Amino acid sequence: MQWYKNLLVFLPIIFVGRLFSLPLLKATALGFVSLCLCSSFNYIVNDIVDRRKDRAHPEKRTRPIAAGRIPVIAALVWGAILLLAGLWLAFALNKVFFYSVGFIVVLTQLYSFILKKVAFADILAVAVNFVVRAVSGAFIIGVTISPWLVLCTFFFALFLLAGKRYADLAFLGSRAAMHKETLRVYTKDVANALMIVATALLIAAYGAFALLGTHPQLAYSIPFALFVIFRYFSLIYVGAPIARHPELVFRDWKMLVGMLLWATATFIALYVYPR
């Protein structure tokens, strides 16, 4: 399960300087749990829809539903239980947060059944879901949604998604279109162009945020952010598994060091020497 995506809900509490407010941190952590529960339902449905194609995929064929270890009916029952639990928790936290979680669930189902078959609409839908995860954190703690949060999260998602399309093409080769219909459109040239555009937009958005936002001292974090972006970019081109599975990013020690340095510079800018 790719629960790491739901960590985006913590961005608002971090960047408004309220990370050490225990009531707000507790509420955000519960929001993370709610998103993970609902995400589990979304992934179960997606795995059910894709189970036949996954059986022919060299990596995805080991998934429990595709491998036949979990019956479809049992998966649906457990998925429904997880969804109801996640929605109940979201409603208990905040009505606006509940609406945002509901939006994520609906858009993800549209993606699973329709949008994943439409090139460009697929990556845009997933990128929008990234943004909604991030802004839902602002709904939980009751702060204004920053346009920088929206822009940086959106372009970050596009960067990851374009890289994943390129990596899938390189990994699957001539079999790519058999596993994902949109890979008929996402040729290596198209995916490469998307990666370059997404990378440029991400760098521009983060640089503008760091220099023009409410904490200009974040400018000192830009070199570390650039290193992480460039390192990930290079991993895509060399065919590293991380490009297809971003959750494995901590296995690359250079990425790990770069992210730790970026996180340290960001923490100092927001909490040690804030303006």
Side-chain angles (χ1 to χ4, degrees):
M1 295 297 181
Q2 299 180 23
W3 286 350
Y4 70 91
K5 298 174 183 177
N6 297 320
L7 291 171
L8 293 167
V9 75
F10 287 96
L11 289 181
I13 193 174
I14 292 172
F15 282 93
V16 298
R18 305 294 298 279
L19 184 60
F20 297 111
S21 171
L22 291 181
L24 295 182
L25 183 60
K26 178 183 177 182
T28 303
L30 290 174
F32 172 75
V33 173
S34 171
L35 286 169
C36 287
L37 290 170
C38 293
S39 294
S40 297
F41 167 77
N42 290 330
Y43 291 127
I44 287 171
V45 172
N46 187 69
D47 283 0
I48 290 173
V49 173
D50 288 348
R51 66 189 185 279
R52 291 183 177 86
K53 289 184 178 180
D54 287 349
R55 286 169 187 154
H57 193 283
E59 292 179 333
K60 296 179 181 180
R61 63 187 178 188
T62 59
R63 290 178 174 178
I65 296 175
R69 295 195 301 273
I70 298 179
V72 171
I73 297 299
L76 281 174
V77 171
W78 278 108
I81 293 172
L82 294 170
L83 175 64
L84 290 174
L87 291 175
W88 174 82
L89 181 55
F91 188 79
L93 282 172
N94 184 296
K95 286 186 178 180
V96 182
F97 175 68
F98 170 77
Y99 296 144
S100 66
V101 173
F103 176 86
I104 291 171
V105 172
V106 172
L107 183 57
T108 303
Q109 296 312 307
L110 285 173
Y111 171 84
S112 294
F113 288 96
I114 301 173
L115 297 177
K116 70 189 307 178
K117 301 174 184 178
V118 183
F120 308 117
D122 59 338
I123 61 174
L124 291 173
V126 177
V128 168
N129 259 350
F130 267 64
V131 172
V132 178
R133 283 182 174 96
V135 301
S136 68
F139 296 145
I140 293 173
I141 63 176
V143 298
T144 302
I145 298 172
S146 167
W148 299 116
L149 175 68
V150 174
L151 287 174
C152 290
T153 305
F154 186 74
F155 294 139
F156 171 68
L158 286 183
F159 171 68
L160 292 180
L161 293 163
K164 190 175 188 303
R165 295 296 180 270
Y166 185 93
D168 284 341
L169 285 164
F171 179 68
L172 295 170
S174 60
R175 300 170 297 164
M178 295 170 54
H179 300 289
K180 193 183 291 288
E181 291 179 33
T182 54
L183 293 182
R184 298 180 189 275
V185 178
Y186 292 120
T187 63
K188 274 194 174 183
D189 287 339
V190 171
N192 183 60
L194 286 173
M195 277 201 322
I196 293 172
V197 171
T199 302
L201 290 171
L202 174 60
I203 292 172
Y206 184 78
F209 161 63
L211 293 169
L212 306 176
T214 55
H215 296 278
Q217 62 273 35
L218 277 171
Y220 297 108
S221 73
I222 292 177
F224 305 117
L226 289 177
F227 174 82
V228 170
I229 293 170
F230 293 154
R231 176 63 183 169
Y232 192 89
F233 194 96
S234 70
L235 290 173
I236 294 170
Y237 274 113
V238 299
I242 291 172
R244 302 190 308 277
H245 306 285
E247 66 274 14
L248 302 179
V249 69
F250 295 103
R251 295 185 181 181
D252 182 85
W253 72 268
K254 294 179 181 178
M255 281 289 293
L256 181 59
V257 170
M259 290 188 295
L260 287 174
L261 290 173
W262 172 80
T264 300
T266 300
F267 181 84
I268 291 172
L270 297 175
Y271 293 92
V272 179
Y273 296 109
R275 289 187 181 180

